[in-house]
Amino acid sequence: MNPSHDCRSLLMAELLNRPATAQAVADPLRPVLASLLVGRSLHQGVLTAALGLSGQAFQTLWHDYFPGEHLALQNGPGEDIAELEDLLNLLLEYRAGLRESEVWLAHIVAYSCCGRNHLWQDLGLAHRNELSVLMTTAFPALASLNVGDMKWKKFIYHFYCNREGIYVCPVPSCAECADHAKCFSPEV
């Protein structure tokens, strides 16, 4: 028995059973948003209590997607990063353009890049699969470029740096890099 897993499951079920708007219920990203909120309530990840969103965006998320009493959320240990706006713009540029939740998730993902762990952990998600769903649904064109299944944060930074002409890796190819196995290995 894993108390953290059991608590996460119960909180997820409670949030997803709330009477959300029809648009929110139809959003395939709703379970990911619920997992982000549950993770923050369990003090997992680096996000702020508002998930890195503005007050208005956070209230809209709650009202439309999970109406009712808010979970108890506290700020995580996240910090500002110099490239936050650049990462946000990159994600916004590659969003699917189908729903408002993609804009929220661009802010959330960009903010979570400030953490020191894998992106799914810094987001407070249960596992990497949730992040893969987030990326392929909200940012499908960007996700399709991750042909080697690189860890998402490394991929986002690698893509961003290459696009901006910032070459910080001394090795010219990932295949030759000493950390290749770490970047492309399955999550544990």
Side-chain angles (χ1 to χ4, degrees):
M1 178 180 222
N2 182 341
S4 178
H5 175 75
D6 294 343
C7 186
R8 178 179 274 279
S9 295
L10 290 171
L11 287 171
M12 285 286 295
E14 194 276 320
L15 285 179
L16 292 172
N17 285 324
R18 291 183 179 190
T21 66
Q23 182 179 355
V25 170
D27 188 342
L29 293 165
R30 186 170 182 244
V32 174
L33 291 165
S35 187
L36 291 165
L37 291 165
V38 168
R40 191 63 251 136
S41 75
L42 296 173
H43 309 287
Q44 297 169 346
V46 299
L47 290 167
T48 65
L51 304 182
L53 299 173
S54 70
Q56 180 61 44
F58 186 71
Q59 290 307 318
T60 300
L61 184 153
W62 267 113
H63 180 268
D64 292 354
Y65 281 68
F66 310 105
E69 187 177 337
H70 288 214
L71 298 178
L73 306 177
Q74 296 177 359
N75 287 332
E79 54 193 56
D80 288 332
I81 52 175
E83 65 276 12
L84 177 63
E85 189 172 329
D86 292 334
L87 295 175
L88 173 60
N89 289 333
L90 171 77
L91 291 164
L92 289 172
E93 178 183 333
Y94 279 89
R95 76 184 189 95
L98 302 175
R99 52 194 65 86
E100 184 178 17
S101 61
E102 298 161 5
V103 175
W104 300 335
L105 287 164
H107 285 270
I108 293 166
V109 169
Y111 184 87
S112 293
C113 284
C114 73
R116 306 256 185 256
N117 292 312
H118 293 293
L119 186 54
W120 68 269
Q121 294 167 320
D122 289 334
L123 285 161
L125 295 172
H127 46 75
R128 186 175 186 240
N129 247 16
E130 288 183 321
L131 178 55
S132 293
V133 168
L134 183 164
M135 294 300 293
T136 57
T137 305
F139 315 106
L142 182 63
S144 71
L145 298 173
N146 188 3
V147 294
D149 197 28
M150 184 184 281
K151 301 297 188 280
W152 286 112
K153 189 186 300 183
K154 288 187 183 283
F155 170 76
I156 291 168
Y157 270 93
H158 180 76
F159 184 81
Y160 163 70
C161 290
N162 281 340
R163 188 169 104 154
E164 297 298 316
I166 304 168
Y167 301 105
V168 294
C169 183
V171 180
S173 167
C174 285
E176 299 169 17
C177 181
D179 284 336
H180 184 273
K182 291 179 187 174
C183 292
F184 293 94
S185 65
E187 295 294 337
V188 289

